[in-house]
């Protein structure tokens, strides 16, 4: 019988006058994989938390297994077999995998004593359910994100989960790990377990979902069978506007462009070997490769965090030695680490202050103190130069739209006037609307002559923003492509080709 | 087998302990004399009892600096009451009163920390001062010397097992050592084999996850700080007995030595890590550093320097371990053949 596991009827929620959800209804049946799609702030998390009993809805009703629930407490949701795997997985980094898997189960059975053999047996049984192999004695803090996720899933299964809600489960996973996760999810489906998969990565959603529903500003704007949607349609529903992204055209404008960064035989034993490439002014060069290919190490070496052991680096033809971050900054190399774009802001501080934080020295006046007058001048200059859309730079950064926030973050780095900008995973965790805006900004900067290196797992991103892509594997550059000459599929194949 | 040992922090501390003991013993054989060993154990016992409470607090992700204040408050108040009533009974009552006082003060810590969700360091810094001040104001600041102490305490101070006759007189092991051994066993068992003990580790590892898993954080914190207080009360009474005086100013300022011993033994200030064995090894190491360097002819001013050095060493070991592991991984990667 196709039982309605979860029924959500006309749920609304407001927080202190802000409408987070309005009249959302849907159902999940046994063994259904339903994807919940929406931009940041669309109300996805609020909806999950209402189902899990963390928040109480302002209006509407919820039924588990066809039975209408009153006030749902977290305990009720758990008893109904509803398990949420939050983005942080709620694991204990100091304990072993086995204990992490078994602990909640033991606790829910009101165990007072710990039998370690039993803990092991329970954990072994649990990972068998999802047909994966894990080192149960490893300390969870030392395991990969993918493994942590598997631990969180097996822990949920132990608690007799019938609906597993996964909040942005693929955020920190590599392509291969995502495929492994999807394998597990399909497996669960076969066992009759339902999945609510919350994501803003549209291509993944399409691959895994039976049904897709889309939230925008707290309202369900679309709901249907996965096949009814294509990427463009999903993006349209999610953002409320047409998203079209043109690919980057590198135009040296007739004149022969100068090499802004030249790398020759750069080597750091154990990390990368004999790396050579040339970055011209105005170019956007992508570096693709699996996690562990050495691409992040290369970026760290170029920025002086973990300097290379041998090889040459030249900036505008001038050989330089980068031994530390101070050197790299003196040679006008900028590095934006992963997640810095999303987390590199002081959200409660003003837009202006955030923008000029890296160039406070230009606002120094009398006695080496910060001059309020120069401070304001600098803010005015940069807000204008970065075209941040705001009436008042004194407002907190949190008041800006996602895309404009990203402008502030990038602007912070640009204010220090780099010649080479290295971006590591520039749009990890960014929703599609902001992502496009950010890509446009990167292209615009390149047109003004900045040399940019982008390290990314996101192939469409590389295809859209770069004019050339280097492929790294096992610490070596194995191939180079011009983006016009290769399709995304071909590139994907090259990247995932077996590492023999 | 060796690789597993290598991952154990306790293994390194034990090795350092053995090397230092052998070095001191070779230079000055008096180090291994029974008199010296018993005297070291006596000092280590006092630290050891306090360290068990400190360990549990650290594992749960907190830090408690108020335990010396609780210890002295409990001991001094107990002795004051007993002296005023001319107490003639057995040693058990002083321990019970002192322990109960400690438990109450510890629970006050627990309530402030658990109910108001305040940072543990700030709360216990506050209560340390509060308890000491309250004691000096309400109970007094007179010092009771050996003659004034109740008979039971005086007798307890002289108690000894394994008494041996040496050239310099009688020496023996004080029975408090067994109190510590018993406590150590209980704490070890609770930490390893009960859900309560695992909840301490879970809380220290990730508090929010512990809450989501369904652990009752408030109850756990009351147990932790109540237990730490109880141990402090008992430890305080032992301090009074072994020092043969009830001095409202003794052991002030030794909080950090004991926290340092636990950290040296592998407990993490950030919470979630620590073991009974490691902590006790840390206590012995610090005790030796503070008391036995004189046997080497090292001036006593250097004690602090050496203790500080040990703490740095203890915190550096986990770093070195992870570096070695990383390097080994890097070396392995270097051997991967080029495929294209």
């Amino acid at each position: 019988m196709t039982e309605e596991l979860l029924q959500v009827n006309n749920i609304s929620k407001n927080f202190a006058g802000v409408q987070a959800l309005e009249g959302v209804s849907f159902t999940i049946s046994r063994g259904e994989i339903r994807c919940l799609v929406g931009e940041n702030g669309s109300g996805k998390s609020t909806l999950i938390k209402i189902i899990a009993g963390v928040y109480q809805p302002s209006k509407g009703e919820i039924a588990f297994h066809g039975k209408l629930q009153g006030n749902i407490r977290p305990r009720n949701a758990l008893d109904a077999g509803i398990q949420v795997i939050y983005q942080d997985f709620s694991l204990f980094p100091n304990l072993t995998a086995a204990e992490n898997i078994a602990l909640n189960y033991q606790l829910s059975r009101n165990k007072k004593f710990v039998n370690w053999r039993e803990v092991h047996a329970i954990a072994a049984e649990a990972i068998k359910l999802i047909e994966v192999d894990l080192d149960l004695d490893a300390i969870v803090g030392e395991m990969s994100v993918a493994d942590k996720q598997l631990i969180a899933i097996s822990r949920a299964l132990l608690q007799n989960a019938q609906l597993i809600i996964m909040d942005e489960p693929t955020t920190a996973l590599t392509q291969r790990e995502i495929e492994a996760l999807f394998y597990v999810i399909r497996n669960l489906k076969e066992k009759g377990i339902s999945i609510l998969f919350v994501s803003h990565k549209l291509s993944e959603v399409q691959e895994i979902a039976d049904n897709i529903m889309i939230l925008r500003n707290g309202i369900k704007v679309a709901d249907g069978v996965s096949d009814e949607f294509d990427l463009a349609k999903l993006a349209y529903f999610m953002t409320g506007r047409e998203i079209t992204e043109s690919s980057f055209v590198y135009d040296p404008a007739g004149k022969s462009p100068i090499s802004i960064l030249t790398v020759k035989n750069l080597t750091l034993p154990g990390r990368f070997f004999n790396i050579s490439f040339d970055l011209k002014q105005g170019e956007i060069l992508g570096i693709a490769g699996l996690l562990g290919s050495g691409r992040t190490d290369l970026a760290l070496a170029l920025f002086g965090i973990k300097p290379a052991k041998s090889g040459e680096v030249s900036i505008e033809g001038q050989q330089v030695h980068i031994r530390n971050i101070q050197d790299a900054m003196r040679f006008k190399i900028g590095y934006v680490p992963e997640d810095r774009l999303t987390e590199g802001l002081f959200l409660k501080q003003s837009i202006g202050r955030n923008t000029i934080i890296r160039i406070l020295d230009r606002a120094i006046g009398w006695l080496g103190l910060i001059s309020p007058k120069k401070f304001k001048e600098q803010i005015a200059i940069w807000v204008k130069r970065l075209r941040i859309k705001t009436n008042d730079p004194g407002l907190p950064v949190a008041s800006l739209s996602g895309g404009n926030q990203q402008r502030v973050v990038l602007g912070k780095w640009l204010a220090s006037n780099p010649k080479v900008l290295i971006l590591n995973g520039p749009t990890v965790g960014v929703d599609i609307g902001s992502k496009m805006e950010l890509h446009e900004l990167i292209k615009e900067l390149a047109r003004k002559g900045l040399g940019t290196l982008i390290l990314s797992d996101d192939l469409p991103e590389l295809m859209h923003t770069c004019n050339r892509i280097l492929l790294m594997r096992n610490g070596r550059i194995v191939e180079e492509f011009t983006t016009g000459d290769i399709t995304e599929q071909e590139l994907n194949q090259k990247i995932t080709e077996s590492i023999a | 087998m060796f690789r597993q040992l290598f991952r154990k922090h306790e293994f390194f501390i034990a090795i350092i302990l053995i090397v230092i003991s052998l070095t001191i013993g070779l230079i000055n054989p008096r180090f291994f004399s029974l008199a010296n060993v018993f005297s070291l154990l006596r000092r280590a016992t006092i630290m050891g009892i306090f360290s068990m409470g400190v360990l549990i607090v650290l594992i749960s992700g907190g830090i408690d600096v108020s335990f010396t204040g609780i210890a002295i408050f409990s001991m001094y108040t107990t002795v004051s009451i007993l002296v005023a009533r001319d107490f003639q009974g057995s040693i058990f009552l002083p321990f019970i009163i002192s322990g109960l006082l400690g438990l109450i003060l510890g629970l006050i810590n627990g309530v402030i920390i658990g109910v108001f969700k305040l940072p543990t360091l700030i709360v216990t810094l506050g209560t340390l001062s509060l308890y000491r001040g309250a004691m000096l104001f309400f109970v007094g600041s007179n010092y009771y010397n050996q003659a004034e102490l109740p008979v039971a305490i005086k007798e307890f101070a002289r108690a000894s097992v394994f008494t041996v006759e040496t050239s310099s007189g009688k020496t023996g092991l004080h029975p408090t050592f067994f109190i510590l051994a018993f406590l150590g066993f209980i704490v070890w068992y609770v930490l390893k084999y009960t859900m309560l003990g695992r909840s301490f580790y879970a809380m220290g590892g990730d508090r929010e996850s512990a809450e989501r898993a369904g652990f009752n954080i408030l109850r756990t914190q009351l147990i932790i700080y109540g237990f730490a207080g109880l141990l402090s009360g008992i430890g305080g009474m032992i301090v009074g007995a072994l020092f043969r005086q009830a001095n409202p100013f003794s052991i002030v300022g030794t909080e950090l030595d004991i926290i340092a011993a636990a950290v040296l033994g592998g407990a993490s200030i950030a919470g979630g890590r620590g073991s009974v064995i490691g902590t006790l090894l840390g206590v012995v190491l610090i005790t030796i550093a503070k008391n036995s360097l004189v046997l080497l002819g090292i001036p006593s001013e250097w004690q602090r320097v050496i203790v500080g050095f040990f703490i740095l060493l203890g915190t550096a070991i986990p770093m070195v371990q992870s570096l070695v592991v990383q390097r080994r991984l890097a070396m392995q990667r270097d051997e991967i053949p080029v495929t294209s």
Side-chain angles (χ1 to χ4, degrees), chain A residues 90 94 99 112 114 116, chain B residues 192-193 195 198 201 212 272:
Chain A
S90 300
N94 54 332
E99 191 173 7
K112 296 283 178 241
V114 183
W116 286 98
Chain B
K192 180 142 196 202
Y193 290 107
M195 283 304 273
R198 301 320 291 173
Y201 283 98
R212 282 183 192 157

Side-chain angles (χ1 to χ4, degrees), chain A residues 86 88 90-95 99 103-104 106-107 111-114 116 142 270 273 292 473-474 476 478 500, chain B residues 7 189 192-196 198 201-202 204-206 209-210 212-215 272 330 333-334 336-340:
Chain A
Y86 292 99
D88 62 6
S90 300
L91 295 175
F92 303 103
N94 54 332
L95 305 180
E99 191 173 7
L103 191 66
N104 291 15
Q106 303 267 60
L107 189 66
K111 282 255 176 184
K112 296 283 178 241
F113 294 91
V114 183
W116 286 98
E142 293 165 7
F273 314 89
R473 192 183 295 150
N474 289 339
R476 291 170 175 85
V478 289
Chain B
R7 286 180 65 119
Y189 185 84
K192 180 142 196 202
Y193 290 107
T194 68
M195 283 304 273
L196 180 67
R198 301 320 291 173
Y201 283 98
D206 190 321
S209 303
R212 282 183 192 157
F215 287 114
R333 291 235 328 251
D334 215 354
I336 297 173
V338 194
T339 48
S340 46

Side-chain angles (χ1 to χ4, degrees), chain B residues 27 32 50 133 177 289 327:
Chain B
I27 297 173
F32 286 124
F50 290 126
F177 177 78
R327 191 159 306 161

Side-chain angles (χ1 to χ4, degrees), chain A residues 366-429:
Chain A
W366 190 65
L367 274 181
L369 300 174
I370 288 177
S371 139
K373 194 169 150 244
K374 289 189 183 176
F375 192 77
K376 274 192 193 136
E377 282 168 11
Q378 285 294 329
I379 290 177
I381 292 171
W382 282 98
V383 167
K384 198 172 159 210
R385 206 174 287 178
L386 292 165
R387 293 194 280 129
I388 296 165
K389 293 181 196 104
T390 177
N391 302 323
D392 180 5
L395 289 174
V397 147
S399 68
L400 289 176
S401 73
N404 273 313
Q405 285 188 11
Q406 309 287 7
R407 264 175 204 272
V408 175
V409 185
L410 260 190
K412 225 169 62 178
W413 295 85
L414 292 174
S416 58
N417 212 4
K419 287 176 177 156
V420 178
L421 191 58
I422 306 170
L423 304 171
N424 194 352
T427 57
V428 169

Side-chain angles (χ1 to χ4, degrees), chain A residues 151-181:
Chain A
I151 289 171
I153 294 175
S154 30
R155 185 179 63 182
L157 288 177
L158 267 184
Q159 312 241 57
N160 198 20
Q162 294 176 52
L163 168 63
I164 300 183
I165 302 178
M166 297 185 183
D167 189 8
E168 306 280 358
T170 59
T171 300
L173 302 191
T174 62
Q175 197 58 42
R176 192 179 301 197
E177 288 166 340
I178 290 173
E179 272 154 36
L181 174 68

Side-chain angles (χ1 to χ4, degrees), chain A residues 275-288:
Chain A
I275 300 289
S276 302
F277 65 86
D278 191 46
L279 176 68
K280 298 261 194 283
Q281 201 169 30
E283 259 199 314
I284 305 178
L285 181 58
I287 301 184

Side-chain angles (χ1 to χ4, degrees), chain B:
Chain B
M1 176 64 188
F2 182 76
R3 196 168 285 182
Q4 273 200 328
L5 272 181
F6 178 81
R7 286 180 65 119
K8 287 255 186 228
H9 188 92
E10 291 84 350
F11 174 69
F12 286 89
I13 301 300
I15 286 192
I16 294 171
L17 190 58
I18 290 167
V19 168
I20 285 179
S21 303
L22 286 178
T23 314
I24 299 178
L26 282 178
I27 297 173
N28 189 339
R30 257 203 310 162
F31 179 74
F32 286 124
S33 71
L34 274 178
N36 186 54
V37 170
F38 285 152
S39 141
L40 280 178
L41 281 178
R42 204 176 156 103
R43 291 170 200 273
T45 302
I46 297 177
M47 270 182 92
I49 286 175
F50 290 126
S51 77
M52 289 297 103
V54 166
L55 171 68
I56 290 182
V57 171
L58 283 176
I59 288 175
S60 75
I63 189 164
D64 180 1
V65 293
S66 72
F67 63 90
T68 54
I70 295 180
I72 290 309
F73 182 105
S74 312
M75 178 273 283
Y76 186 75
T77 308
T78 308
V79 170
S80 299
I81 295 169
L82 295 179
V83 169
R85 307 193 145 231
D86 195 21
F87 174 72
Q88 297 297 332
S90 82
I91 187 66
F92 292 104
L93 192 65
F95 270 104
I96 290 171
I97 299 176
S98 187
L100 279 178
L101 283 171
L103 177 67
I104 293 167
L105 297 184
L107 283 175
I108 294 176
N109 278 346
V111 168
I112 301 174
I113 289 165
V115 175
F116 300 107
K117 300 194 166 60
L118 294 175
T120 55
L121 175 63
I122 310 295
V123 170
T124 53
L125 268 174
T127 53
L128 170 66
S129 190
L130 190 91
Y131 297 155
R132 286 188 51 73
M135 170 185 72
L136 294 175
F137 184 78
F138 292 112
V139 188
S141 55
N142 290 332
Y143 149 118
Y144 296 94
N145 64 25
Q146 190 178 356
E148 293 166 299
L149 290 180
V151 185
I153 297 180
K154 274 187 273 191
E155 272 171 11
F156 182 70
R158 278 195 299 271
S160 153
V161 285
F162 304 131
T163 315
V164 282
E165 209 60 67
T166 64
S167 52
S168 53
K170 271 198 211 167
T171 179
L173 183 61
H174 196 270
T176 44
F177 177 78
F178 297 102
I179 299 184
L180 174 62
F182 175 71
L183 273 174
F185 174 78
I186 296 284
V187 171
W188 171 79
Y189 185 84
V190 167
L191 285 179
K192 180 142 196 202
Y193 290 107
T194 68
M195 283 304 273
L196 180 67
R198 301 320 291 173
S199 76
F200 301 162
Y201 283 98
M203 251 178 82
D206 190 321
R207 198 191 146 115
E208 207 178 330
S209 303
E211 230 168 333
R212 282 183 192 157
F215 287 114
N216 185 337
I217 303 284
L218 175 63
R219 198 192 67 152
T220 313
Q221 276 180 327
L222 288 179
I223 292 174
I224 289 169
Y225 290 94
F227 180 71
L230 175 70
L231 283 188
S232 305
I234 294 170
M237 203 61 229
I238 292 175
V239 168
L242 294 192
F243 288 10
R244 302 187 184 189
Q245 50 171 274
N247 179 350
F249 299 100
S250 45
I251 71 164
V252 173
T254 61
E255 305 87 24
L256 292 185
D257 280 343
I258 295 166
I259 293 172
V263 171
L264 183 57
S268 161
I269 289 281
R273 250 176 344 110
S275 71
V276 171
I277 299 292
T279 303
L280 291 180
L281 288 171
V283 164
V284 174
L285 199 51
I286 298 251
T287 309
I288 290 177
K290 283 176 74 174
N291 297 290
S292 297
L293 295 169
V294 190
L295 293 178
L296 290 185
I298 296 174
S300 59
E301 292 80 12
W302 278 87
Q303 280 176 16
R304 308 293 325 164
V305 177
I306 306 275
V307 169
F309 173 74
F310 277 148
I311 294 169
L312 291 179
L313 191 72
T315 40
I317 289 173
M319 291 300 291
V320 175
Q321 280 170 314
S322 78
L323 273 183
V324 169
V325 172
Q326 271 179 18
R327 191 159 306 161
R328 196 188 302 138
L329 287 177
M331 291 310 219
Q332 283 167 358
R333 291 235 328 251
D334 215 354
E335 289 156 15
I336 297 173
V338 194
T339 48
S340 46

